[in-house]
Amino acid sequence: QVHLVESGGGLVQPGGSLKLSCAVSGRGFSLNAMGWYRQAPGKERELVATITSDGSTNYADSVKGRFTVSSDNAKNTVYLQMNSLKPEDTAVYYCKLGMNGVDYWGKGTQVTVSS
């Protein structure tokens, strides 16, 4: 069984920054095929960023240049540094681990960007 727990969300003003963390625990996993997703009210869940075990990253066009995904294998943790936040970044942010054909999700952390 694999568990993912997100943290670091909160209320921030436009232009501000937040750093999300996703701690992974359990057996038999590796931090490969990790992803950050978000879901705003009334919208579908969308991909924000991905990172693989070799450090390859991919970003949604809407966050390129503002968000950075990274991982610390020693801590089994994946991070999402979010800068220059906009009101449209408001959403619940989830992390996902893909392993052996199964997707494991955390419960999410709320990010609200508002003045």
Side-chain angles (χ1 to χ4, degrees):
Q1 189 75 342
V2 178
H3 298 279
L4 289 77
V5 178
E6 303 94 338
S7 61
L11 173 64
V12 63
Q13 292 186 344
S17 298
L18 281 175
K19 186 173 184 178
L20 306 183
S21 300
C22 173
V24 185
S25 62
R27 290 187 170 185
F29 69 89
S30 63
L31 296 188
N32 192 31
M34 293 293 301
W36 283 99
Y37 292 73
R38 66 186 181 187
Q39 187 166 18
K43 295 188 177 181
E44 294 187 355
R45 192 171 296 188
E46 64 176 0
L47 175 68
V48 176
T50 61
I51 186 167
T52 60
S53 57
D54 65 0
S56 297
T57 58
N58 186 48
Y59 298 92
D61 288 343
S62 59
V63 307
K64 280 182 181 176
R66 300 189 298 122
F67 290 11
T68 303
V69 61
S70 62
S71 63
D72 185 334
N73 290 336
K75 294 183 178 180
N76 293 327
T77 302
V78 177
Y79 304 97
L80 185 67
Q81 177 67 47
M82 306 186 295
N83 299 328
S84 301
L85 282 161
K86 305 174 181 179
E88 51 263 43
D89 294 318
T90 295
V92 178
Y93 283 71
Y94 300 89
C95 62
K96 186 192 82 171
L97 168 66
M99 185 174 71
N100 298 328
V102 178
D103 290 336
Y104 297 89
W105 293 88
K107 293 185 177 180
T109 184
Q110 176 71 46
V111 172
T112 302
V113 185
S114 175
S115 55

